[in-house]
Amino acid sequence: MEIRALIVGVTGIAGRGASQALLDVGATVYGLSRHGEGVVDGARHIRADVLDANSLERALSGLEPTHVFLTTWIRRATEQENIETNAGIVRRTLEVASRENSVQHVALVTGLKHYLGPFESYARTGTLPLTPVREEQPRLPTPNFYYAQEDELFAAAERYRFTWSVHRPHTIIGKAIGNAMNMGTTLAAYASICKETGRPFKFPGSAAQWNGLTDMTDARVLGKHLVWASTEDRAKNDAYNIVNGDVFRWSWMWPRIADWFGVRWTGFETEPAPLEAQMQDCRPIWKAMAAKYGLVEAELDRVASPWHTDLDLGRPLEVVTDMALSRKRGFLEYQSTEESFRDLFSRLREDRVIP
């Protein structure tokens, strides 16, 4: 099968994972974003603004993609604004991409907020799901931009006659600078600051997260999952959870991350110690570190997203993800999450993102 892939959000964690996986199977990859910094080698960058239909029309004219991968979103102040903006991205992109009747399959990347709720009511008591979360669980009775994105996808699939898949990763581990939700790089920056300043590498989250089971998603595994669902007939027209396949406790993982960086650590004590507060004075520290060590990014906000790490590590329940549906249909990839972190940290150091 010849694949002409259009990846929307090509410079993000999910977009980079999708790019490499598609290139590995011989696809022609076109990556759409406002800026070309961070595009995987081999992907062809297309500059466009997903909020502007005219910009999309100019960028996609004559492209004739066979597969579209929607891996981007934009955060707004309220969930209603999130819905309007992000559902609009899906609707607008698929209207333009489908005009030449070339699209065969569209894959949408969302996440576990499908089960845990949107930012405004994320993982709050009274709406907590049964875990492990399963695809068959019903939507929560609250507005959620993931649901609005799915509805736009379903409507476009019926209108334009393409197949579809929805992919729900847990927290994604991968390299992407300037990404809004990036725990791996956030922890790398935080640990590097702790080493530079002599501060303890202090777990920021809840007792439930420190002691409970959890799992995560390597961007490389997500990329392979996207290719699988887009090319395997029995996988099409369904939604799937996607995680690495192992489970761990942060009480086990946290010391291993600390050991990699050579810093002393502390675990959960009596209450959470959010990273946003721990890192509020760190912008000038990071800028000085960037000058001292020749780092490629001197703005800490481009490297770390402590608000998102706090959201995940502050949850009042353990969160694990059921992968039975993908396994039954033939997706058997596995990845050690500890190795995912180590691979990411090594890559960040090699690329001079961290010292």
Side-chain angles (χ1 to χ4, degrees):
M1 174 191 297
E2 180 183 357
I3 299 175
R4 291 172 57 84
L6 170 65
I7 301 176
V8 182
V10 70
T11 59
I13 296 178
R16 287 173 56 86
S19 296
Q20 192 59 62
L22 285 159
L23 290 166
D24 287 346
V25 298
T28 301
V29 177
Y30 297 92
L32 189 150
S33 66
R34 286 178 298 171
H35 307 290
E37 180 185 358
V39 175
V40 169
D41 289 344
R44 308 177 189 185
H45 182 245
I46 300 173
R47 191 180 305 276
D49 182 352
V50 291
L51 300 178
D52 183 342
N54 291 330
S55 175
L56 283 170
E57 288 176 0
R58 290 191 298 270
L60 302 184
S61 177
L63 189 65
E64 298 185 351
T66 59
H67 295 67
V68 179
F69 299 86
L70 299 164
T71 68
T72 192
W73 69 286
I74 296 174
R75 189 185 184 194
R76 298 302 195 196
T78 68
E79 191 58 21
Q80 187 55 47
E81 291 175 284
N82 282 330
I83 289 169
E84 292 170 0
T85 297
N86 293 290
I89 290 171
V90 174
R91 181 176 61 254
R92 194 177 302 113
T93 300
L94 295 183
E95 283 177 354
V96 175
S98 300
R99 285 182 180 171
E100 294 164 318
N101 297 315
S102 61
V103 177
Q104 302 171 21
H105 186 89
V106 176
L108 170 67
V109 177
T110 60
L112 292 202
K113 285 189 290 299
H114 184 94
Y115 308 106
L116 296 168
F119 295 117
E120 293 177 357
S121 57
Y122 184 74
R124 291 183 184 171
T125 303
T127 61
L128 300 181
L130 295 174
T131 59
V133 293
R134 293 180 168 88
E135 296 93 342
E136 66 195 36
Q137 291 173 215
R139 291 180 175 183
L140 299 173
T142 184
N144 188 320
F145 82 82
Y146 282 172
Y147 304 160
Q149 286 182 307
E150 285 188 346
D151 290 343
E152 292 291 349
L153 173 65
F154 302 152
E158 184 174 353
R159 185 180 310 121
Y160 302 117
R161 305 300 178 188
F162 53 70
T163 58
W164 57 270
S165 56
V166 176
H167 304 257
R168 298 170 185 162
H170 201 163
T171 305
I172 305 174
I173 302 173
K175 182 192 173 187
I177 304 303
N179 192 267
M181 299 192 296
N182 194 336
M183 182 190 288
T185 306
T186 298
L187 294 181
Y190 172 51
S192 298
I193 290 168
C194 289
K195 186 172 184 177
E196 184 74 9
T197 61
R199 301 179 185 184
F201 184 60
K202 187 172 185 178
F203 182 74
S206 67
Q209 284 294 295
W210 179 252
N211 296 310
L213 292 172
T214 193
D215 49 26
M216 297 182 75
T217 307
D218 191 301
R220 297 169 295 188
V221 173
L222 174 58
K224 293 175 182 178
H225 196 250
L226 288 162
V227 173
W228 167 76
S230 301
T231 57
E232 172 60 54
D233 286 343
R234 60 180 169 165
K236 293 174 181 176
N237 299 325
D238 219 334
Y240 298 96
N241 297 329
I242 172 60
V243 288
N244 286 343
D246 64 349
V247 295
F248 65 92
R249 302 180 197 277
W250 279 107
S251 58
W252 178 87
M253 184 70 78
W254 197 253
R256 283 161 171 77
I257 294 176
D259 285 347
W260 196 94
F261 285 94
V263 294
R264 60 189 178 94
W265 62 273
T266 60
F268 179 82
E269 295 175 343
T270 58
E271 60 184 17
L275 274 187
E276 276 203 293
Q278 291 193 58
M279 298 180 71
Q280 65 181 351
D281 65 340
C282 290
R283 289 181 182 86
I285 295 172
W286 186 261
K287 192 177 290 289
M289 289 171 62
K292 178 179 178 180
Y293 297 109
L295 304 184
V296 296
E297 180 54 68
E299 297 300 324
L300 182 59
D301 291 345
R302 292 268 301 157
V303 178
S305 50
W307 70 271
H308 173 255
T309 298
D310 285 341
L311 198 69
D312 273 8
L313 296 185
R315 294 178 297 202
L317 77 166
E318 69 174 22
V319 180
V320 288
T321 312
D322 184 80
M323 277 283 290
L325 185 57
S326 289
R327 302 302 189 214
K328 286 190 291 186
R329 294 183 181 176
F331 185 80
L332 304 178
E333 292 288 336
Y334 170 86
Q335 170 66 43
S336 160
T337 299
E338 183 182 7
E339 290 178 4
S340 292
F341 275 123
R342 290 177 178 275
D343 290 349
L344 172 64
F345 300 153
S346 295
R347 176 72 185 277
L348 294 175
R349 182 165 287 172
E350 179 184 341
D351 292 347
R352 292 186 297 112
V353 178
I354 61 173

